[in-house]
């Protein structure tokens, strides 16, 4: 199923803008030393609210020529697009269920036709279910979490990357993973699995682009601990790992993305935890993570954001959370 007429109606100020303008000056690889969003096209998934909206607002503030917003929540998406309109940046909004490859392909085709390939692609959207694995529903929780968190970033990037490579100008891809993709976390097994997948894929993609001679396209993997957003309402912060403030995370991630850094782990204890897990025997690590740092208890009081109705066309029984990662 392609994009609905309602999705098309949400599009604001769409046209041939940014680097998609015929005859626009081609940037060279040397521009990587001072890559900015100014004059470029930025696409953000999960852009209707939360950190996705913060990324979009940041792009507008920094003078992006165009900002493309994707989200499953059409109402919130329209509100965000309206709030960003009139800023001098062309804003377009697409109501897309990114768990559907068909909808991803349809939306990507429209973006490519109207704007060309994005200069900055931020794979931010994500969902989480906080319960024991055997309490997860097969389709609504397990399949959908993997589709949104792991498969969607791959499908979306695959739709745009060939055109980004063909264009031959510097570009950036920011993939939002999670510290849970480096450590096992009870009551979050499927989410954790999805973020492990993102980390492995994202960094492998970075290396593939370098090996193939496309060094102008840089891939950054963001690996944060819990962030103070409704998506993770009720979680308990592990020892020495306070809940992160969304604005601060976006600032750090944005700068790392512009610089083309391979990985950003926040806070410093995320890297420490990965190192300890790698050197300690499993029983010792279980003791450190469970009793000392409290990682294994962090989801015990999780409540999360109230879920929204499933998107149009979703399988029967699907209960989809708002897809604004973190």
């Amino acid at each position: 199923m392609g994009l609905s007429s309602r999705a098309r109606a949400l599009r604001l100020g769409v046209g041939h803008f940014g680097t998609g303008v015929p005859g626009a000056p081609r940037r060279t690889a040397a521009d990587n030393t001072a890559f900015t969003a100014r004059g470029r096209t930025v696409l953000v998934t999960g852009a209707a609210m939360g950190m996705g909206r913060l990324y979009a607002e940041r792009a507008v503030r920094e003078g992006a020529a165009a900002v493309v917003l994707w989200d499953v929540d059409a109402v919130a998406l329209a509100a965000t697009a309206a709030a960003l309109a009139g800023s001098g940046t062309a804003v377009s909004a697409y109501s897309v269920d990114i768990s559907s490859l068909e909808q991803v392909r349809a939306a990507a085709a429209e973006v490519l036709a109207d704007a060309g390939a994005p200069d900055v692609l931020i794979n931010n959207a994500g969902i989480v279910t906080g319960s024991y694995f055997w309490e997860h529903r097969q389709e609504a929780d397990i399949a959908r979490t993997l589709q949104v968190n792991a498969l969607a970033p791959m499908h979306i990037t695959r739709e745009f990357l060939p055109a980004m490579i063909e264009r031959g100008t510097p570009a950036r891809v920011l993939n939002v993973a999670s510290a849970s993709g480096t450590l096992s976390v009870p009551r979050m097994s499927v989410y954790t699995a999805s973020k492990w997948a993102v980390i492995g894929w994202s960094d492998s993609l970075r290396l593939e682009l370098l090996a193939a001679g496309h060094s102008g396209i840089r891939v950054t993997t963001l690996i944060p601990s819990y962030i103070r957003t409704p998506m993770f309402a009720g979680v308990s912060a592990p020892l020495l790992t306070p809940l992160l403030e969304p604005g601060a995370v976006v600032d750090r991630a944005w700068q790392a993305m512009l610089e083309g850094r391979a990985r950003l782990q926040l806070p410093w204890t995320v890297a420490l935890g990965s190192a300890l897990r790698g050197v300690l025997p499993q029983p010792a690590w279980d003791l450190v993570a469970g009793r000392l740092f409290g990682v294994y208890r962090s989801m015990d009081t999780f409540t999360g954001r109230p879920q929204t109705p499933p998107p149009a066309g979703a399988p029967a029984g699907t209960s989809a959370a708002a897809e604004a990662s973190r």
Side-chain angles (χ1 to χ4, degrees), residues 37-215:
R38 181 168 298 279
R40 290 182 161 95
T41 300
V42 179
L43 190 153
V44 184
T45 68
M49 62 185 74
M51 293 184 64
R53 178 165 176 161
L54 292 180
Y55 284 118
E57 291 172 347
R58 181 64 179 263
V60 168
R61 287 201 307 272
E62 298 207 359
V67 174
V68 182
L69 313 174
W70 282 20
D71 202 284
V72 71
D73 188 331
V75 175
L77 182 65
T80 295
L84 295 178
S87 60
T89 296
V91 178
S92 55
Y94 297 77
S95 179
V96 187
D97 176 8
I98 62 171
S99 71
S100 164
L101 176 55
E102 191 174 14
Q103 289 197 35
V104 166
R105 282 176 168 162
E110 290 202 41
V111 172
L112 288 169
D114 291 325
D119 299 284
V120 176
L121 171 59
I122 301 178
N123 285 309
N124 163 78
I127 56 177
V128 63
T129 297
S131 59
Y132 290 123
F133 175 72
W134 55 89
E135 296 173 348
H136 283 66
R137 295 163 296 176
Q138 295 277 35
E139 292 188 9
D141 298 327
I142 298 175
R144 186 166 177 82
T145 296
L146 292 173
Q147 288 164 349
V148 171
N149 293 0
L151 293 180
M154 299 182 197
H155 290 317
I156 293 166
T157 304
R158 177 62 181 83
E159 289 298 310
F160 291 115
L161 194 55
M164 295 165 76
I165 291 172
E166 177 65 23
R167 184 178 56 205
T169 58
R172 297 290 185 267
V173 178
L174 174 63
N175 295 315
V176 179
S178 168
S180 65
T182 65
L183 306 171
S184 302
V185 184
R187 296 178 184 266
M188 199 160 53
S189 56
V190 177
Y191 178 84
T192 295
S194 72
K195 294 303 184 177
W196 279 50
V198 169
I199 292 172
W201 161 71
S202 182
D203 204 48
S204 295
L205 173 61
R206 174 185 68 85
L207 295 172
E208 289 175 353
L209 287 166
L210 289 173
H214 307 304
S215 60

Side-chain angles (χ1 to χ4, degrees), residues 225-229 232-238 241-246 249 267:
S225 183
Y226 295 122
I227 303 174
R228 197 186 300 277
T229 67
F232 279 103
V235 300
S236 301
T241 309
L243 296 180
L244 300 170
E245 294 300 326
V249 174

Side-chain angles (χ1 to χ4, degrees), residues 16-28 39-41 65 115 119 167 169:
H16 290 283
F17 40 64
T19 57
V21 178
R26 288 176 64 86
R27 293 183 291 274
T28 66
R40 290 182 161 95
T41 300
D119 299 284
R167 184 178 56 205
T169 58

